[in-house]
Amino acid sequence: LTLSRLRHCDLSRANLQRVKFTDADLTGANLREADLREADLRGAHLDGADLEGARIEGTLFKAPDT
């Protein structure tokens, strides 16, 4: 899902383990209680995304380049 546009998508409770969201646009996405363990979110846009209760053990984060 690298470079995907998933703005304001409801991905709550989704199993997203090991998914590559590199440079994806997840602005305003609902990721509540999603399983993001070992996912790659480097460069992903997460402005306004709801990560409450999400499992993020081993998840890779890095701010997007502007």
Side-chain angles (χ1 to χ4, degrees):
L1 296 173
T2 297
L3 293 172
S4 295
R5 294 194 70 218
L6 299 168
R7 298 172 62 95
H8 305 285
C9 283
D10 184 358
L11 298 170
S12 58
R13 298 185 177 195
N15 181 350
L16 302 168
Q17 289 184 59
R18 296 183 205 89
V19 173
K20 288 188 177 191
F21 286 109
T22 311
D23 297 317
D25 187 355
L26 293 162
T27 302
N30 180 359
L31 295 162
R32 291 175 70 98
E33 299 181 25
D35 189 346
L36 293 164
R37 289 178 291 171
E38 299 181 27
D40 187 346
L41 292 167
R42 290 177 292 183
H45 296 266
L46 295 165
D47 296 330
D50 185 352
L51 291 158
E52 186 172 333
R55 298 189 66 183
I56 58 170
E57 298 89 0
T59 300
L60 300 173
F61 290 98
K62 178 184 169 272
D65 294 328
T66 55

